[in-house]
Amino acid sequence: MTRFSGRHLLGIEPLEPADISALLDTAETLREVLTRPIKKVPTLRGKTIVNLFYEASTRTRSSFEMAEKALSADTLSISMATASVQKGETLLDTARNIEAMQPDMIVMRHSSSGAPHFLSRNCRSAVVNAGDGAHEHPTQALLDAFTLRQKRGRLQGLRVAIIGDLLHSRVMRSNLWLLKKMKADVILCGPPTLVPPGIESLAPCTFRIDEAIEGADAVMMLRIQLERMSGGFFPSLREYHQRFGLTEARMKRAKNNVLIMHPGPINRGVEIASEVADGPYSVILDQVTNGVAVRMAVLFLLLGGSEVAS
Amino acid sequence: MSRGVLLKGGRVVDPSQGVDASLDLLLRDGAVAALGENLAPDDADIVDIAGLVACPGFIDIHVHLREPGYEEKETIATGTRAAAAGGFASVCCMPNTNPVNDQAGITRFILERAAAADCARVYPIGAVTKGSRGEELAEYGDLRDAGCVAVSDDGRPVSDARLMRRALDYARAFDLTIIDHCEDPRLSEKALMNEGAVSTLLGLSGVPWVSEAMMVERDVLLAELTGGKAHIAHVSTASAVDAVRRGKARGVRVTAEATPHHLLLTDQAVKDLEYDTSTKMNPPLRCDADRRAVIEGLRDGTIDCIATDHAPHTIDDKMIEFDQAAFGIVGLETAVSLCLDRLVRTDMITLGRLVDLFAGAPARVLCLPGGTLKPGAPADVTVLDLDRSVTVEPSRFLSKGRCTPFAGWNLKGAPVMTIVGGKIVFSVDR
């Protein structure tokens, strides 16, 4: 069986290529479970997983829950947006209280970059980062990679354009690390005000979307958070769509059969035109499907489940 | 004439007199009575300091004692004990207390508490503006008479250039220095660390170096315009060092300080320590080019002195998410060993230069008594053991604050005795 070297999954940056391959290969094996009439294996029976979500999430949280259930883990989801955080409880106190119930794993989404690192230092459970601030969203990058591999058979040498709000995007950071480690060619694109300093030392970066799309095997569009408007990063959504949005006309510069990806939720008519999001090259919903298999792999490898018996 | 104290057999390093020699030092009636070879007064207690180094008492001109108002973080009693344990005979305390030290009554309260604590000397710093709100000047005449040695709106930079001009100008009447924490509030908004490659990787919002540099440029120009005295607190960027250097070359009355953490750490520490909040302070740890430029400023005299920006917080203020944690770390009990080990032992600066940075220079910057062992000077002495090995252990700090990025560091060289007004206020058992 494949092995994974870490105790937590806090980000893609610390992983070795072998870890990433192990996760993707395991996801490949586990994906089969989801096609069975009874979509459940007893692999993590008796293990307890707490999903601790400090930020609203539909896709990621339900994806983790489905993965946990498919592996027969006992799960508990806490939405901290509506729980004790409003009573002024600190993350440390919440973590200690959850720890007192002796779970095996905590899956956390938090708006503060580094919150999962803080949690992992202060508890015994395995910690999975389900997105922390603008830092990382490792399972998103893994499911993106899984989708790319599924559709193209490999990651090495693929030309992948990541376009949009690079500054605030944890999805970009995790994908950048993963694709670099797996030897894909990444090109980044966004308005200069949304390009974080120093990023060009990790991947080439352009302000021209046509240049980024040229010859791409895959285009990953990043969500524009509408609240960014107040930061004065760009003058209007209209101009953003015109200059940095993905339209059908622009797609023609990419390779034939280009893969159009988006971590969701999409802003139709802002970063991506509806015809593209719903068009034949879009694999946006495949990404969602694959998310469950990839998260099953993460849980399985970190919790050291038994063989995936039939 | 009271009984004296004779420090015997040590090496005296006092750059103010160009002294670095084996000499005895006699203290009497709160003052230095004599410095010479083989002193043998018949009415003095002898303290054997063979193998140790005696220096003018160290002075830290940038400390937050938190009292009144934030006694859970630090008190004047705990802060001055921490100072003495760190080798500091005197500290200047910033006015961002609650209430702000913007009037004589509060200054007098601070001095009363300091007298009651009876440990390191305390020189209060008053506010530049009433309530440090950046609107109206505080009453500098009253503050000076009550005992303030400078004014500052530390932590809340004076963003209004006209107000800063008035402050620098008006303070001339009382020979007060304006200490400015230089950053542009808008550029620094929501910033958690230095802006650069590391903040990008960590996904933390950063403040660009320009935020500090442009305010330092402004202050140097306003000091030039008014003839007032500006002191730039905790210089952290290459451009700020350069601005001070150019100002000094033009004869502007500007001085500057640097902290041990900006001299020794970079923003990489935030990543290496995995978002540990002991790496969160303002100004933030910068990139290595900035750090090296600050050291160069220290070597060429652009930076006048070392100050700690000792900023104690409770555990609750720091054991939380990085973006929500308070800015600031403690420094009083680590600064001297850090500088001895990482600046002097590495030959970046000489011991004499370090003693000046900690004693003579801060006294000159704010026109304080002390900083010298000339006969008649205050009997304030810091005794160092250059061979003593120490490990930074926050749980043993006398300060209430425990947050330091240097926890666990092994350092060689440490303060072992602090004398204030002829009285030993701190001493390590040997």
Side-chain angles (χ1 to χ4, degrees):
Chain A
M1 197 63 212
T2 42
R3 300 271 302 277
F4 179 74
S5 59
R7 198 166 82 79
H8 308 289
L9 179 65
L10 302 180
I12 299 294
E13 190 190 352
L15 299 186
E16 299 294 331
D19 294 323
I20 295 167
S21 295
L23 283 159
L24 297 178
D25 293 344
T26 306
E28 195 68 55
T29 312
L30 290 167
R31 194 172 66 94
E32 183 267 330
V33 170
L34 299 171
T35 64
R36 295 178 192 176
I38 297 171
K39 302 180 182 62
K40 207 174 182 69
V41 287
T43 313
L44 294 184
R45 195 159 58 193
K47 301 280 188 188
T48 312
I49 302 176
V50 176
N51 302 310
L52 191 57
F53 276 65
Y54 279 86
E55 245 185 16
S57 159
T58 312
R59 230 169 317 272
T60 305
R61 182 173 148 179
S62 38
S63 181
F64 267 107
E65 286 183 13
M66 289 189 71
E68 289 154 4
K69 288 184 165 72
L71 293 173
S72 303
D74 294 314
T75 74
L76 174 68
S77 291
I78 307 171
S79 176
M80 294 306 287
T82 56
S84 1
V85 69
Q86 290 178 345
K87 298 175 201 156
E89 187 173 70
T90 65
L91 176 56
L92 187 60
D93 283 332
T94 302
R96 282 175 177 159
N97 278 280
I98 289 172
E99 276 282 288
M101 301 178 225
Q102 300 179 314
D104 297 285
M105 174 183 278
I106 298 174
V107 175
M108 185 168 76
R109 152 88 44 113
H110 201 292
S111 60
S112 301
S113 299
H117 304 72
F118 177 80
L119 183 68
S120 70
R121 275 199 294 275
N122 290 290
C123 71
R124 293 179 305 274
S125 315
V127 173
V128 173
N129 179 2
D132 65 322
H135 175 233
E136 282 223 44
H137 190 354
T139 57
Q140 178 70 42
L142 287 164
L143 72 88
D144 290 340
F146 187 88
T147 306
L148 284 170
R149 222 173 65 158
Q150 183 182 49
K151 304 290 180 188
R152 288 292 175 270
R154 66 195 162 93
L155 294 171
Q156 188 168 358
L158 291 184
R159 182 177 162 87
V160 181
I162 306 179
I163 300 170
D165 180 356
L166 307 172
L167 181 62
H168 302 96
S169 178
R170 54 192 173 212
V171 173
M172 182 278 288
R173 286 170 177 78
S174 287
N175 265 303
L176 182 56
W177 286 119
L178 191 148
L179 292 167
K180 275 175 66 78
K181 284 172 195 280
M182 303 311 277
K183 299 191 164 34
D185 293 323
V186 180
I187 181 158
L188 302 171
C189 174
T193 46
L194 291 173
V195 174
I199 199 77
E200 63 285 349
S201 65
L202 294 176
C205 189
T206 174
F207 307 139
R208 294 184 182 80
I209 186 168
D210 289 342
E211 211 173 282
I213 294 173
E214 191 76 44
D217 292 288
V219 177
M220 292 182 179
M221 298 306 294
L222 301 172
R223 175 178 166 79
I224 283 293
Q225 309 258 337
L226 298 180
E227 59 268 28
R228 298 294 171 224
M229 284 301 299
S230 62
F233 291 101
F234 52 88
S236 66
L237 294 175
R238 174 183 163 278
E239 179 153 304
Y240 188 87
H241 184 63
Q242 278 184 1
R243 303 290 160 163
F244 300 98
L246 186 60
T247 57
E248 272 194 306
R250 289 220 162 92
M251 267 178 54
K252 297 197 171 70
R253 292 175 173 271
K255 280 194 182 145
N256 290 336
N257 300 324
V258 62
L259 303 174
I260 304 301
M261 308 174 80
H262 193 298
I266 61 175
N267 289 312
R268 293 172 178 270
V270 183
E271 70 266 7
I272 190 165
S274 281
E275 305 81 71
V276 179
D278 304 331
Y281 304 111
S282 169
V283 293
I284 295 174
L285 293 176
D286 299 77
Q287 290 173 270
V288 178
T289 306
N290 292 334
V292 180
V294 159
R295 290 178 175 115
M296 286 169 74
V298 169
L299 307 177
F300 175 80
L301 290 178
L302 287 180
L303 288 181
S306 56
E307 292 292 314
V308 189
S310 49
Chain B
M1 203 165 69
S2 67
R3 203 167 164 77
V5 173
L6 182 69
L7 298 178
K8 197 159 184 58
R11 169 184 168 195
V12 174
V13 176
D14 180 8
S16 74
Q17 311 180 68
V19 166
D20 183 348
S22 294
L23 294 171
D24 296 342
L25 177 62
L26 178 64
L27 312 173
R28 196 193 298 282
D29 296 328
V32 176
L35 180 63
E37 289 179 34
N38 302 318
L39 297 182
D42 48 12
D43 56 346
D45 297 323
I46 293 174
V47 179
D48 177 11
I49 58 163
L52 305 179
V53 177
C55 320
F58 288 176
I59 302 168
D60 185 349
I61 64 169
H62 194 146
V63 167
H64 297 269
L65 293 179
R66 304 297 192 204
E67 188 178 357
Y70 305 106
E71 294 83 356
E72 72 283 5
K73 293 176 190 278
E74 191 82 288
T75 64
I76 289 167
T78 57
T80 52
R81 280 203 292 275
F88 292 100
S90 307
V91 296
C92 300
C93 61
M94 283 294 175
N96 59 339
T97 46
N98 186 16
V100 167
N101 181 17
D102 62 356
Q103 46 189 295
I106 296 159
T107 307
R108 281 193 291 269
F109 168 82
I110 292 168
L111 289 170
E112 272 169 30
R113 300 303 290 233
D118 194 23
C119 191
R121 292 180 201 273
V122 174
Y123 297 109
I125 296 168
V128 175
T129 60
K130 292 186 181 118
S132 286
R133 285 186 296 270
E135 292 161 5
E136 301 167 86
L137 297 182
E139 295 172 332
Y140 297 169
D142 260 20
L143 288 169
R144 167 110 246 179
D145 286 351
C148 285
V149 296
V151 289
S152 177
D153 278 353
D154 188 57
R156 297 182 69 178
V158 183
S159 61
D160 180 337
R162 190 179 72 159
L163 191 66
M164 188 61 169
R165 177 209 178 159
R166 298 275 186 260
L168 281 161
D169 208 2
Y170 185 68
R172 292 192 301 153
F174 310 98
D175 205 27
L176 282 171
T177 299
I178 312 279
I179 303 175
D180 201 18
H181 167 131
C182 289
E183 67 175 327
D184 179 87
R186 285 286 278 167
L187 279 176
S188 298
E189 215 169 88
K190 293 183 184 162
L192 303 168
M193 67 175 295
N194 182 49
E195 182 180 288
V198 182
S199 68
T200 289
L201 293 185
L202 293 175
L204 293 172
S205 60
V207 55
W209 53 270
V210 172
S211 179
E212 174 176 282
M214 56 194 263
M215 287 302 248
V216 174
E217 294 279 6
R218 182 202 73 171
D219 285 356
V220 171
L221 292 169
L222 290 174
E224 187 168 22
L225 174 72
T226 58
K229 287 196 295 181
H231 175 75
I232 312 299
H234 40 52
V235 168
S236 67
T237 58
S239 297
V241 174
D242 188 53
V244 173
R245 185 180 287 127
R246 283 182 281 110
K248 285 186 167 184
R250 292 199 304 278
V252 180
R253 298 170 84 194
V254 59
T255 52
E257 73 194 26
T259 71
H261 48 278
H262 291 115
L263 293 165
L264 302 178
L265 296 175
T266 66
D267 53 3
Q268 182 64 30
V270 188
K271 189 160 192 295
D272 292 345
L273 294 180
E274 297 195 317
Y275 298 91
D276 193 285
T277 58
S278 68
T279 59
K280 184 178 178 184
M281 70 288 285
N282 191 13
L285 300 171
R286 303 285 185 177
C287 69
D288 198 51
D290 285 322
R291 185 188 72 88
R292 282 184 281 113
V294 177
I295 289 184
E296 193 45 44
L298 203 66
R299 288 159 57 98
D300 72 11
T302 303
I303 308 281
D304 296 84
C305 63
I306 295 175
T308 64
D309 193 9
H310 177 82
H313 289 290
T314 65
I315 289 174
D316 299 340
D317 296 327
K318 290 299 250 185
M319 271 295 277
I320 50 179
E321 296 87 325
F322 194 88
D323 59 349
Q324 291 165 33
F327 289 96
I329 57 169
V330 293
L332 284 170
E333 291 168 85
T334 51
V336 172
S337 286
L338 284 166
C339 292
L340 285 172
D341 188 79
R342 299 301 161 108
L343 298 178
V344 176
R345 271 166 47 81
T346 55
D347 288 329
M348 272 194 263
I349 58 174
T350 63
L351 178 63
R353 173 72 179 137
L354 186 72
V355 171
D356 191 50
L357 286 163
F358 272 129
R364 290 193 298 277
V365 166
L366 295 185
C367 305
L368 304 174
T372 176
L373 293 174
K374 285 178 186 159
D380 295 357
V381 185
T382 295
V383 180
L384 306 174
D385 181 347
L386 302 182
D387 297 318
R388 183 178 171 83
S389 292
V390 293
T391 301
V392 177
E393 290 180 69
S395 63
R396 303 180 65 166
F397 285 167
L398 299 182
S399 168
K400 287 191 174 188
R402 299 289 153 87
C403 200
T404 169
F406 300 110
W409 282 38
N410 295 309
L411 304 167
K412 196 165 181 188
V416 290
M417 185 184 296
T418 307
I419 298 173
V420 176
K423 181 182 156 197
I424 297 172
V425 294
F426 164 75
S427 166
V428 168
D429 295 329
R430 284 203 297 153

